[in-house]
Amino acid sequence: MKKLLVTGFEPFGGDRINPTQVIINALKEEKFEDTQMFLEVLPVAFKNADESLKELIDRIKPDYAVLLGLAGGRSGISIERVAINIMDARIPDNENYQPKDEPIRKDGPSAYFSTLPVREILFELRSKGIPTVISNSAGLYVCNEVMYLSLYYSDKFGYPVKTGFIHVPYFPEQVVQKFSDSGQNLPSMSFDLQLRAIKLIIEKTLEMQ
Ligand code: PCA
């Protein structure tokens, strides 16, 4: 039986919902063949997310970790290719901590590449009509941090065996709200399409040896 960890995040930066938290909730109804799935929602806090992820990986020792986060303003599913060893927050995290130019791990390399099949995932999602890109920056905030840490643990301790990060867009109801509040005209993707994308990503990932 394969062990799969899937994480999302709590809301942050003034948003009331985080699509990835809703997706994690919806995945509770899903089953993947020969797979034990662990679903978790991480805090949007540099220190707490670091500790929570380490505890999860130590306890579960996942074969696969698919980490999810919101990238508000992006128009499609972003398959992140790379995580960099830096925390440089544009806004304070949910514990009011705002690191600038700090490394995530002093003993870690400058960057790690995703060990998910990013190109295969791109083709799979596009062939199903889902707007998708390979992204070359997961940002400098908590998402980049957890992607880096998951790859760091994989490198140092062997778990998760394969791991990477996916950013999703806003839900339509979030951008409707922002348009009404401040006239911001932003892209979005429906819950149904996002959930379908994440299920396809998990299936492609589980096909890897
Ligand atoms: N997105 C943020 C952190 C949590 C989330 O869902 C990011 O892109 O760093």
Side-chain angles (χ1 to χ4, degrees):
M1 191 93 143
K2 301 166 197 162
K3 284 189 280 183
L4 165 72
L5 171 65
V6 188
T7 66
F9 275 107
E10 291 172 347
F12 68 103
D15 278 313
R16 280 201 310 275
I17 61 168
N18 189 322
T20 63
Q21 185 173 27
V22 181
I23 290 167
I24 291 296
N25 220 4
L27 286 172
K28 289 179 186 157
E29 311 300 321
E30 303 292 334
K31 283 209 161 46
F32 298 92
E33 208 185 317
D34 193 33
T35 301
Q36 188 182 8
M37 185 162 55
F38 299 83
L39 298 167
E40 295 289 336
V41 174
L42 297 172
V44 183
F46 285 95
K47 289 179 182 154
N48 201 340
D50 181 336
E51 284 157 21
S52 304
L53 186 72
K54 178 148 192 350
E55 188 279 321
L56 287 169
I57 291 173
D58 278 348
R59 175 162 51 85
I60 298 165
K61 298 191 172 48
D63 299 296
Y64 306 95
V66 177
L67 314 172
L68 310 175
L70 165 68
R74 293 200 194 170
S75 57
I77 300 289
S78 300
I79 308 155
E80 299 297 345
R81 193 200 306 262
V82 58
I84 60 176
N85 191 7
I86 200 93
M87 298 181 282
D88 193 76
R90 187 178 47 82
I91 52 170
D93 70 16
N94 287 354
E95 286 172 352
N96 215 22
Y97 175 54
Q98 189 172 9
K100 287 275 171 206
D101 306 326
E102 275 183 45
I104 298 167
R105 281 292 183 273
K106 290 205 176 80
D107 67 344
S110 304
Y112 282 114
F113 288 120
S114 172
T115 49
L116 299 183
V118 292
R119 185 67 55 184
E120 287 81 352
I121 291 171
L122 178 77
F123 288 147
E124 175 74 5
L125 267 58
R126 284 191 179 168
S127 76
K128 300 277 168 21
I130 304 173
T132 308
V133 293
I134 294 176
S135 158
N136 296 311
S137 173
L140 300 163
Y141 200 50
V142 185
C143 290
N144 173 70
E145 182 203 34
V146 299
M147 178 179 177
Y148 184 90
L149 287 171
S150 192
L151 288 156
Y152 173 90
Y153 295 132
S154 178
D155 181 31
K156 303 279 177 202
F157 310 118
Y159 293 100
V161 182
K162 302 281 181 197
T163 185
F165 200 96
I166 311 296
H167 265 123
V168 303
Y170 282 129
F171 284 154
E173 55 271 34
Q174 293 183 280
V175 304
V176 166
Q177 188 63 44
K178 286 175 200 295
F179 203 90
S180 322
D181 290 348
S182 57
Q184 270 183 295
N185 180 1
L186 292 162
S188 65
M189 187 182 283
S190 72
F191 162 74
D192 286 351
L193 203 55
Q194 290 201 23
L195 181 61
R196 197 153 156 248
I198 300 308
K199 281 160 58 181
L200 288 167
I201 290 167
I202 291 172
E203 278 160 15
K204 265 282 157 230
T205 298
L206 294 171
E207 279 174 19
M208 289 171 80
Q209 293 311 310

